[in-house]
Amino acid sequence: MNNKIMVCAGKMCVKLNGEEAIEAVAVTIRNEIDQLGIQQQIEVGLGKCMRSCRKGCVVTTQPDMNKYFRVTPDSGREIVNTVAQLQMY
């Protein structure tokens, strides 16, 4: 498993964005991965501070290290689909 999607769960992000919002994004991302049946290719986790707390819920994809800001459950689905498509190549 080379690909990871990390949702920032640093203390400041939780304080500014709310634990519920961060968890909702993580759950949506996990559900999308399950629906696509790619659990073996993409790992999802809660990450440490990404130093972008004021930019809303932050998600980083690895190994490409792309950062996504102001992530919502809907945009979380789009991130999964983007990572899944990149895996095909």
Side-chain angles (χ1 to χ4, degrees), residues 29-72:
I29 289 171
R30 287 185 188 110
N31 288 343
E32 187 69 14
I33 288 171
D34 289 346
Q35 281 188 318
L36 294 173
I38 55 175
Q39 304 90 328
Q40 300 303 315
Q41 291 91 11
I42 302 174
E43 177 183 345
V44 179
L46 297 176
K48 296 180 180 179
C49 183
M50 297 180 193
R51 307 221 186 276
S52 300
C53 306
R54 298 205 184 276
K55 294 182 180 180
C57 185
V58 181
V59 171
T60 301
T61 57
Q62 298 172 2
D64 58 6
M65 298 306 291
N66 285 330
K67 273 191 182 178
Y68 299 86
F69 305 104
R70 293 179 179 79
V71 177
T72 64

